[in-house]
Amino acid sequence: MEKSAELTRNAQLPKSEEEIQERKGFVVVDETVKYRIVTVIACILVLSSIFFNTPSEILAGMTRIVVAPSILVTDYLIVGNVGAAFFNSGLLMLAAIAIARRNEVNMNGPVMAAVFTIAGFALFGKNIYNVWAIMVGVLLHARYQQEKFSKFILIAFFGTALGPLISQITFGLGLSPALAFPAGILAGIIAGFCLPPLANHFVKFHQGFNLYNIGFTAGVTGMFFMAMLRAFDFQNPSTLIVAEGYNRLLGTYLFVFFTGMLITGFYFSRRVMPGLTRIWRQSGRLVSDFVTSNGFGASMMNMALLGYISTGYVLLVGGQLNGPTIGGIFTIVGFGAFGKHVKNILPVLAGVYLASLVQVWEVNATGALLAALFGTTLAPIAGYYGWGYGIIAGFFHMSMVMNVGYLHGGMNLYNNGFSGGFVAAVLVPIFDALKKSS
């Protein structure tokens, strides 16, 4: 079975997989329990918003977030406020969990990666207005193909990367509301309808070495929409709105947050180190569902460790914890259940860091930080070929990601997934040739 087909169906965990887990000595966690745990995490995000701002401030901030064009990079901590950003994040995470539950999808690695990614990007680009048209488009595609929506639910979730397409057309082009709202929603539905066949096709382009496959797909889709807009003389402004000065507050918040996840994972692990080491031995290449293959507890611990590492990287290089960087951290954490682990992200981080030392970008600049965090989409290269190859991939990714954003005009939030697809497509055949000759 092709990896593309596996990816679309991997949200469904057959009973036989539970039996396999039991034979391997895992603590088999009931789906209801897993849903409750992830729901609690989302509720923590929602409820913690009141520690940052009052309810009236959160409501006012949410209003500003909803009407923002939201193209890269738009930090909702600035557009709204800290409380509104976390409220938006938790709310969208809860919505994704509810949709998955409603469609009887198991809370496995890909779904956990998707809901955490939605939570992360809800801090800087996704909001309660701009995600629904994409999902409706994917739903219509499922109906057209006479398939269950659950088969395409991962594409629907990750496809919300194109949320800024809806927001920019609706609020950023200066159109009259009578035209802007229908045009934005229609563009989102069309994009969502086209995503499933494109995603299944493009996974072959990078051979599963770019974990953000929908990021590449959304980049190509956004590029086509941006080309059409430019043809009618509509331009997207270069946007860089990022918060500063929250490192102590948000650093403490994240440390407590990930410690809670670590303790939860430990509670559901029968044997801690064997579970983690099994994860660390995997390359992470698509499709690598750590929850199914190594257990829920070990996956949660791996996710928490990645949270510590990625947060530590931002702070150690003198960067700022804000909407975009925490979005990157949450995405890494989510993919800690679906392809990323301690051993395969560190080489990529090292490669991006080395690139920033010799290239024109400062290591603690927003773009460089996002390249490092989201560049871990190439972690399977390090896991499959080795550390040295992962460093090379990270080095080249730094250069590529700084140059592809213009193509989609900032309307694809997963810009690093777009870049990672090109980097993997170029480097993987070369690495294969080097491996064969050695």
Side-chain angles (χ1 to χ4, degrees), residues 70-88:
S70 298
I71 57 177
L72 279 176
V73 177
T74 303
D75 188 345
Y76 286 166
L77 272 66
I78 293 292
V79 173
N81 49 57
V82 178
F86 277 92
F87 186 85
N88 184 62

PDB file of all heavy atoms in Angstrom, residues 70-88:
ATOM      1  N   SER A  70      -4.132  37.992   8.852  1.00  0.00           N
ATOM      2  CA  SER A  70      -3.483  36.781   9.384  1.00  0.00           C
ATOM      3  C   SER A  70      -2.411  36.172   8.499  1.00  0.00           C
ATOM      4  O   SER A  70      -2.019  35.027   8.710  1.00  0.00           O
ATOM      5  CB  SER A  70      -4.538  35.706   9.721  1.00  0.00           C
ATOM      6  OG  SER A  70      -5.415  36.164  10.725  1.00  0.00           O
ATOM      7  N   ILE A  71      -1.910  36.893   7.503  1.00  0.00           N
ATOM      8  CA  ILE A  71      -0.851  36.324   6.678  1.00  0.00           C
ATOM      9  C   ILE A  71       0.451  36.286   7.477  1.00  0.00           C
ATOM     10  O   ILE A  71       0.628  37.016   8.458  1.00  0.00           O
ATOM     11  CB  ILE A  71      -0.663  37.105   5.360  1.00  0.00           C
ATOM     12  CG1 ILE A  71      -0.359  38.586   5.638  1.00  0.00           C
ATOM     13  CG2 ILE A  71      -1.874  36.961   4.471  1.00  0.00           C
ATOM     14  CD1 ILE A  71      -0.099  39.390   4.389  1.00  0.00           C
ATOM     15  N   LEU A  72       1.361  35.400   7.055  1.00  0.00           N
ATOM     16  CA  LEU A  72       2.637  35.265   7.764  1.00  0.00           C
ATOM     17  C   LEU A  72       3.410  36.579   7.765  1.00  0.00           C
ATOM     18  O   LEU A  72       3.538  37.194   6.721  1.00  0.00           O
ATOM     19  CB  LEU A  72       3.493  34.193   7.086  1.00  0.00           C
ATOM     20  CG  LEU A  72       3.208  32.733   7.428  1.00  0.00           C
ATOM     21  CD1 LEU A  72       4.104  31.832   6.587  1.00  0.00           C
ATOM     22  CD2 LEU A  72       3.395  32.427   8.892  1.00  0.00           C
ATOM     23  N   VAL A  73       3.948  36.991   8.909  1.00  0.00           N
ATOM     24  CA  VAL A  73       3.829  36.395  10.232  1.00  0.00           C
ATOM     25  C   VAL A  73       2.996  37.359  11.074  1.00  0.00           C
ATOM     26  O   VAL A  73       3.408  38.508  11.261  1.00  0.00           O
ATOM     27  CB  VAL A  73       5.205  36.189  10.878  1.00  0.00           C
ATOM     28  CG1 VAL A  73       5.070  35.648  12.289  1.00  0.00           C
ATOM     29  CG2 VAL A  73       6.119  35.312  10.026  1.00  0.00           C
ATOM     30  N   THR A  74       1.861  36.911  11.592  1.00  0.00           N
ATOM     31  CA  THR A  74       0.962  37.752  12.378  1.00  0.00           C
ATOM     32  C   THR A  74       0.777  37.130  13.750  1.00  0.00           C
ATOM     33  O   THR A  74       0.086  36.120  13.891  1.00  0.00           O
ATOM     34  CB  THR A  74      -0.401  37.897  11.676  1.00  0.00           C
ATOM     35  OG1 THR A  74      -0.215  38.434  10.368  1.00  0.00           O
ATOM     36  CG2 THR A  74      -1.307  38.818  12.465  1.00  0.00           C
ATOM     37  N   ASP A  75       1.393  37.726  14.736  1.00  0.00           N
ATOM     38  CA  ASP A  75       1.378  37.193  16.097  1.00  0.00           C
ATOM     39  C   ASP A  75       0.094  37.631  16.795  1.00  0.00           C
ATOM     40  O   ASP A  75      -0.115  38.822  17.048  1.00  0.00           O
ATOM     41  CB  ASP A  75       2.602  37.704  16.846  1.00  0.00           C
ATOM     42  CG  ASP A  75       2.793  37.063  18.197  1.00  0.00           C
ATOM     43  OD1 ASP A  75       1.840  36.433  18.694  1.00  0.00           O
ATOM     44  OD2 ASP A  75       3.890  37.197  18.773  1.00  0.00           O
ATOM     45  N   TYR A  76      -0.754  36.683  17.143  1.00  0.00           N
ATOM     46  CA  TYR A  76      -2.013  37.013  17.811  1.00  0.00           C
ATOM     47  C   TYR A  76      -1.811  37.538  19.229  1.00  0.00           C
ATOM     48  O   TYR A  76      -2.730  38.122  19.803  1.00  0.00           O
ATOM     49  CB  TYR A  76      -2.930  35.795  17.830  1.00  0.00           C
ATOM     50  CG  TYR A  76      -3.564  35.465  16.491  1.00  0.00           C
ATOM     51  CD1 TYR A  76      -4.178  34.235  16.281  1.00  0.00           C
ATOM     52  CD2 TYR A  76      -3.573  36.381  15.446  1.00  0.00           C
ATOM     53  CE1 TYR A  76      -4.784  33.923  15.066  1.00  0.00           C
ATOM     54  CE2 TYR A  76      -4.173  36.078  14.225  1.00  0.00           C
ATOM     55  CZ  TYR A  76      -4.769  34.846  14.043  1.00  0.00           C
ATOM     56  OH  TYR A  76      -5.360  34.546  12.842  1.00  0.00           O
ATOM     57  N   LEU A  77      -0.626  37.333  19.811  1.00  0.00           N
ATOM     58  CA  LEU A  77      -0.346  37.936  21.106  1.00  0.00           C
ATOM     59  C   LEU A  77      -0.308  39.461  21.006  1.00  0.00           C
ATOM     60  O   LEU A  77      -0.576  40.160  21.986  1.00  0.00           O
ATOM     61  CB  LEU A  77       0.987  37.438  21.668  1.00  0.00           C
ATOM     62  CG  LEU A  77       0.964  36.149  22.509  1.00  0.00           C
ATOM     63  CD1 LEU A  77       0.578  34.953  21.661  1.00  0.00           C
ATOM     64  CD2 LEU A  77       2.318  35.917  23.167  1.00  0.00           C
ATOM     65  N   ILE A  78       0.021  39.967  19.822  1.00  0.00           N
ATOM     66  CA  ILE A  78       0.037  41.406  19.580  1.00  0.00           C
ATOM     67  C   ILE A  78      -1.299  41.866  19.011  1.00  0.00           C
ATOM     68  O   ILE A  78      -1.877  42.861  19.461  1.00  0.00           O
ATOM     69  CB  ILE A  78       1.174  41.778  18.610  1.00  0.00           C
ATOM     70  CG1 ILE A  78       2.525  41.536  19.270  1.00  0.00           C
ATOM     71  CG2 ILE A  78       1.064  43.236  18.159  1.00  0.00           C
ATOM     72  CD1 ILE A  78       2.837  42.459  20.422  1.00  0.00           C
ATOM     73  N   VAL A  79      -1.811  41.156  18.012  1.00  0.00           N
ATOM     74  CA  VAL A  79      -3.071  41.558  17.365  1.00  0.00           C
ATOM     75  C   VAL A  79      -4.207  41.570  18.374  1.00  0.00           C
ATOM     76  O   VAL A  79      -5.018  42.512  18.427  1.00  0.00           O
ATOM     77  CB  VAL A  79      -3.399  40.614  16.204  1.00  0.00           C
ATOM     78  CG1 VAL A  79      -4.793  40.902  15.636  1.00  0.00           C
ATOM     79  CG2 VAL A  79      -2.352  40.755  15.103  1.00  0.00           C
ATOM     80  N   GLY A  80      -4.312  40.531  19.181  1.00  0.00           N
ATOM     81  CA  GLY A  80      -5.332  40.462  20.226  1.00  0.00           C
ATOM     82  C   GLY A  80      -4.697  40.798  21.550  1.00  0.00           C
ATOM     83  O   GLY A  80      -4.471  41.957  21.885  1.00  0.00           O
ATOM     84  N   ASN A  81      -4.388  39.798  22.305  1.00  0.00           N
ATOM     85  CA  ASN A  81      -3.586  39.887  23.528  1.00  0.00           C
ATOM     86  C   ASN A  81      -3.220  38.461  23.914  1.00  0.00           C
ATOM     87  O   ASN A  81      -3.669  37.505  23.251  1.00  0.00           O
ATOM     88  CB  ASN A  81      -4.318  40.622  24.663  1.00  0.00           C
ATOM     89  CG  ASN A  81      -5.733  40.100  24.883  1.00  0.00           C
ATOM     90  OD1 ASN A  81      -5.932  38.905  25.124  1.00  0.00           O
ATOM     91  ND2 ASN A  81      -6.734  40.987  24.775  1.00  0.00           N
ATOM     92  N   VAL A  82      -2.415  38.301  24.947  1.00  0.00           N
ATOM     93  CA  VAL A  82      -1.943  36.953  25.308  1.00  0.00           C
ATOM     94  C   VAL A  82      -3.119  36.043  25.650  1.00  0.00           C
ATOM     95  O   VAL A  82      -3.201  34.898  25.185  1.00  0.00           O
ATOM     96  CB  VAL A  82      -0.951  37.031  26.476  1.00  0.00           C
ATOM     97  CG1 VAL A  82      -0.500  35.617  26.881  1.00  0.00           C
ATOM     98  CG2 VAL A  82       0.251  37.879  26.106  1.00  0.00           C
ATOM     99  N   GLY A  83      -4.040  36.534  26.456  1.00  0.00           N
ATOM    100  CA  GLY A  83      -5.188  35.716  26.844  1.00  0.00           C
ATOM    101  C   GLY A  83      -6.040  35.314  25.664  1.00  0.00           C
ATOM    102  O   GLY A  83      -6.461  34.149  25.551  1.00  0.00           O
ATOM    103  N   ALA A  84      -6.300  36.255  24.752  1.00  0.00           N
ATOM    104  CA  ALA A  84      -7.117  35.955  23.576  1.00  0.00           C
ATOM    105  C   ALA A  84      -6.428  34.937  22.678  1.00  0.00           C
ATOM    106  O   ALA A  84      -7.080  34.050  22.114  1.00  0.00           O
ATOM    107  CB  ALA A  84      -7.402  37.239  22.795  1.00  0.00           C
ATOM    108  N   ALA A  85      -5.101  35.036  22.548  1.00  0.00           N
ATOM    109  CA  ALA A  85      -4.362  34.087  21.709  1.00  0.00           C
ATOM    110  C   ALA A  85      -4.477  32.668  22.264  1.00  0.00           C
ATOM    111  O   ALA A  85      -4.724  31.709  21.521  1.00  0.00           O
ATOM    112  CB  ALA A  85      -2.901  34.514  21.603  1.00  0.00           C
ATOM    113  N   PHE A  86      -4.311  32.517  23.581  1.00  0.00           N
ATOM    114  CA  PHE A  86      -4.411  31.183  24.171  1.00  0.00           C
ATOM    115  C   PHE A  86      -5.859  30.683  24.178  1.00  0.00           C
ATOM    116  O   PHE A  86      -6.099  29.476  24.027  1.00  0.00           O
ATOM    117  CB  PHE A  86      -3.826  31.183  25.587  1.00  0.00           C
ATOM    118  CG  PHE A  86      -2.341  31.029  25.611  1.00  0.00           C
ATOM    119  CD1 PHE A  86      -1.510  32.137  25.608  1.00  0.00           C
ATOM    120  CD2 PHE A  86      -1.754  29.773  25.616  1.00  0.00           C
ATOM    121  CE1 PHE A  86      -0.131  32.003  25.617  1.00  0.00           C
ATOM    122  CE2 PHE A  86      -0.381  29.613  25.618  1.00  0.00           C
ATOM    123  CZ  PHE A  86       0.444  30.743  25.616  1.00  0.00           C
ATOM    124  N   PHE A  87      -6.802  31.581  24.329  1.00  0.00           N
ATOM    125  CA  PHE A  87      -8.207  31.183  24.247  1.00  0.00           C
ATOM    126  C   PHE A  87      -8.528  30.676  22.842  1.00  0.00           C
ATOM    127  O   PHE A  87      -9.178  29.628  22.683  1.00  0.00           O
ATOM    128  CB  PHE A  87      -9.104  32.377  24.589  1.00  0.00           C
ATOM    129  CG  PHE A  87     -10.564  32.037  24.679  1.00  0.00           C
ATOM    130  CD1 PHE A  87     -11.107  31.536  25.852  1.00  0.00           C
ATOM    131  CD2 PHE A  87     -11.405  32.207  23.583  1.00  0.00           C
ATOM    132  CE1 PHE A  87     -12.460  31.214  25.934  1.00  0.00           C
ATOM    133  CE2 PHE A  87     -12.755  31.886  23.657  1.00  0.00           C
ATOM    134  CZ  PHE A  87     -13.286  31.393  24.837  1.00  0.00           C
ATOM    135  N   ASN A  88      -8.064  31.385  21.827  1.00  0.00           N
ATOM    136  CA  ASN A  88      -8.263  30.963  20.444  1.00  0.00           C
ATOM    137  C   ASN A  88      -7.604  29.610  20.188  1.00  0.00           C
ATOM    138  O   ASN A  88      -8.170  28.731  19.536  1.00  0.00           O
ATOM    139  CB  ASN A  88      -7.678  32.016  19.497  1.00  0.00           C
ATOM    140  CG  ASN A  88      -7.911  31.712  18.029  1.00  0.00           C
ATOM    141  OD1 ASN A  88      -9.040  31.645  17.551  1.00  0.00           O
ATOM    142  ND2 ASN A  88      -6.826  31.527  17.298  1.00  0.00           N
TER     143      ASN A  88
END
